Amino acid sequence: MDPATQSQRPLIIGSRASKLAQIQAEIVENVLKEAHPSQPFEIKLMTSEGDRNQTQALYLLGGKALWTKDLEAELLNGSIDLIVHCLKDVPTSLPEGCEMSAILEREDPRDTLVVKQGLSYTSFEEMPAGSVIGTSSVRRVAQLRKSFPHLAFQDVRGNLNTRLAKLDAEDGPYTALVLAGAGLERLGFKNRITSYISPPVLYPAVGQAALAVETRIGDSKVTEIVSVLTHWQTQWQCLAERACLRVLEGGCSVPVGVETTLTGNKDSGVSPRLKITGTVTSLDGLTHVAATIEEDINSIEDAEAVGRRLAEELKASGADAILEDIKKDRAAKQQTTTSPLATTTPSQ
């Protein structure tokens, strides 16, 4: 029997309350409704700690759990049955009792340049020294400083509409923002994309552009229902990336970028081939470590093992020293609650 026919109780999909999060929850809901037409679903919107704190830089707020822990508390107490996440916002270690049960097909993972309305720049190279680029991501700042030391970087918080309004404000400080292309497209803002920023200039975040579904361990009914969402190629790639980040990060936000491809079909009799590049960049952009592994794999476990080995190669090549410096910088900034991005000036 289809597990969705066993009960007519609506399954509650938990989501953050931002417009982008709502759209992403609706994407998942629509797929599930089509696959399980007799099973009702409802979306429950909630705010996270990250939504409530719009003043302090993300770098200083103590890791990605600020986006997920409130939702996970509702999942564990039974108020909701599953959570829809942007995978890049999900900590690599989940709370006891929770598991990642589905990863959807990934969209274009690249970041984009979004220039202030009325300005004619089409690339970073065209911008004059001191031009202010808005982003809350230390990964983006670190990598872009490496290639564009003449630019300044400033923290920008808020939902996408708010950030675009800050960008376009006549008296605003920003020349441009760096934003994930997938989020812009989901919200219908593809027309605001000035250009895509591809590796090696800017490597995407781990899990970027993929949606994921988190459920309770042991809830076999929900696990079976959401399994229809999984795109195995994206799942294998993203779990390799997350295994790499898990070794590197120690639970904190770090400037790790990745680029991953998977070719072949696991059902063809020929092993799929995984290629994954990882990067770690110092906050000043002056030190950059990269490594690549390419090999045949046959399972999720193989993919995760490749990710872990990539992390060890990065650490052996100097990433350990970069990450230690970042921990010290974060601790010092937390003492003064000063954003490392808000006070940035161009390097000389």
Side-chain angles (χ1 to χ4, degrees), residues 324-340:
E324 185 59 34
D325 286 344
I326 289 169
K327 289 179 184 178
K328 292 176 181 177
D329 178 83
R330 181 183 289 108
K333 293 293 194 303
Q334 286 172 333
Q335 291 295 317
T336 60
T337 65
T338 299
S339 165

Side-chain angles (χ1 to χ4, degrees), residues 15-38:
S15 168
R16 291 170 54 205
S18 73
K19 181 61 176 175
L20 178 57
Q22 290 181 52
I23 289 172
Q24 292 167 167
E26 288 166 0
I27 289 171
V28 168
E29 181 186 35
N30 289 338
V31 176
L32 291 176
K33 282 182 173 179
E34 183 175 351
H36 307 289
S38 64

Side-chain angles (χ1 to χ4, degrees), residues 244-272:
C244 176
L245 183 59
R246 189 178 297 116
V247 172
L248 292 173
E249 68 180 347
C252 294
S253 176
V254 291
V256 175
V258 292
E259 182 180 35
T260 310
T261 60
L262 185 68
T263 56
N265 190 323
K266 64 184 176 68
D267 299 320
S268 68
V270 178
S271 298

Side-chain angles (χ1 to χ4, degrees), residues 153-297:
F153 297 89
Q154 184 167 315
D155 193 53
V156 57
R157 295 290 308 279
N159 62 38
L160 200 49
N161 297 71
T162 299
R163 282 180 279 170
L164 289 171
K166 290 178 179 179
L167 169 65
D168 294 331
E170 188 174 340
D171 59 349
Y174 306 105
T175 300
L177 304 180
V178 179
L179 299 168
L184 287 165
E185 293 201 30
R186 288 170 187 152
L187 278 168
F189 289 132
K190 186 175 182 178
N191 64 308
R192 288 305 308 266
I193 296 174
T194 303
S195 62
Y196 285 85
I197 315 168
S198 302
V201 174
L202 182 56
Y203 285 85
V206 166
Q208 187 155 316
L211 301 180
V213 173
E214 186 176 2
T215 63
R216 287 182 295 272
I217 292 175
D219 192 338
S220 58
K221 173 189 170 183
V222 174
T223 300
E224 177 63 22
I225 285 174
V226 303
S227 65
V228 68
L229 298 165
T230 292
H231 181 255
W232 73 267
Q233 295 94 329
T234 300
Q235 181 187 50
W236 288 23
Q237 290 176 64
C238 288
L239 291 179
E241 295 171 9
R242 285 171 61 80
C244 176
L245 183 59
R246 189 178 297 116
V247 172
L248 292 173
E249 68 180 347
C252 294
S253 176
V254 291
V256 175
V258 292
E259 182 180 35
T260 310
T261 60
L262 185 68
T263 56
N265 190 323
K266 64 184 176 68
D267 299 320
S268 68
V270 178
S271 298
R273 190 158 187 84
L274 178 71
K275 181 179 181 180
I276 179 170
T277 297
T279 69
V280 180
T281 311
S282 63
L283 294 177
D284 60 12
L286 298 179
T287 307
H288 178 77
V289 175
T292 299
I293 294 178
E294 182 173 4
E295 67 178 53
D296 294 341
I297 60 172

